[in-house]
Amino acid sequence: MRIVLLGPPGAGKGTQAKRICETYNIPHISTGDIFRENMKNDTPLGIKAKEYMAQGLLVPDELVVDMVEDRLKHEDVLNAGYGYLLDGFPRTVFQAAALCAINAKKDCELDFAINLDVPLDILIERVSGRRICPKCAATYHIKYKKPLVDGICDLDKTPLYQRDDDKKETVEKRIEIYQDQTFPLITFYEDKQKIININGLQHMTDVFNDIEKVLSGVR
Ligand SMILES: [Zn+2]
C-alpha cells in the first residue's frame, strides 16, 4: 500500500501515521527523518542539503525528490511490496509529479492521498491553547484539558508555559504557508482521484476508523 498523508500542522498526522503503518505493515517515511539521516551519515545528498542550509536557503525540490527516491529503495519499502506512508512529502505539485514518476518506474502508483481535514479556526484554537509543563512535559489545553488550577501542572505544581511554536501568530503563519502550498496539491490528487478527505475533527480513534474503512478496500 502506498499512501501520502496530507494535513495541516496540528491535525494529528503523527498519531494517524503511526496507526496506519502498524496496521498495514508499511514503513512510515517522514521527510524530517530522511533529512536527518542523510545529513548524519554525510551521504552525497546530505552534504548537498547542508550546503543549502548553511547559506540559509531552502533545499530545492529536486534534491528533496532525490532523497525520497533514494529512501524508497530501502529494504523496508521493498519488503512491504513497495509500500510506504509518506509524511511531509510531497509538499509541492512539482514533488507530487516527481513521486508519480518514481512510482511509474516501479510500474506502481499511489493508492491514496489521505487529507486530514480540520477547519482552520479550530486548528488555531487547538494548537494555540496548548500549555506544557517544563518539568514533566505533561500537556494541557486552556479549553479542552484544563489543569485543576489555571496555569499550574496537576502533577508537580510547576507553572505551565506555551511553546513559541504554539503561539497564535506562529500557528497562523504556519497554516498560511501550508495552505498556499497544499491547496494545489489537493487539487492535483483530486484530478487523479486519489484524494480521501477525512474529518480530522473527530476523536483520533474515529479518524482512524474512517481511514481504515477506505484502506481495507485495497488490502
Ligand atoms: Zn508537570
Side-chain angles (χ1 to χ4, degrees), residues 133-138 140 153-158 160:
C133 172
K135 193 169 175 191
C136 72
Y140 298 88
C153 179
D154 293 348
L155 306 171
D156 48 37
K157 312 293 175 220
T158 308
L160 304 175

Side-chain angles (χ1 to χ4, degrees), residues 75-176:
E75 210 168 313
D76 53 352
V77 175
L78 304 178
N79 288 344
Y82 199 63
Y84 53 76
L85 178 143
L86 284 169
D87 173 3
F89 180 94
R91 247 184 238 274
T92 61
V93 170
F94 177 93
Q95 292 181 0
L99 179 61
C100 285
I102 293 170
N103 286 330
K105 284 185 203 168
K106 296 273 179 189
D107 279 326
C108 291
E109 51 176 68
L110 193 73
D111 292 302
F112 297 112
I114 297 174
N115 180 35
L116 296 183
D117 203 11
V118 180
L120 299 181
D121 49 339
I122 292 181
L123 205 58
I124 291 166
E125 190 192 35
R126 262 194 196 178
V127 179
S128 64
R130 262 188 219 149
R131 297 293 182 272
I132 299 172
C133 172
K135 193 169 175 191
C136 72
T139 57
Y140 298 88
H141 192 281
I142 53 169
K143 194 164 165 190
Y144 303 114
K145 198 186 167 199
K146 287 183 181 173
L148 296 171
V149 180
D150 260 0
I152 303 290
C153 179
D154 293 348
L155 306 171
D156 48 37
K157 312 293 175 220
T158 308
L160 304 175
Y161 79 108
Q162 183 180 35
R163 294 192 318 166
D164 283 342
D165 270 2
D166 293 346
K167 298 242 157 81
K168 193 154 182 268
E169 312 76 67
T170 316
V171 177
E172 282 170 348
K173 188 76 210 159
R174 261 159 61 210
I175 289 175
E176 197 183 307

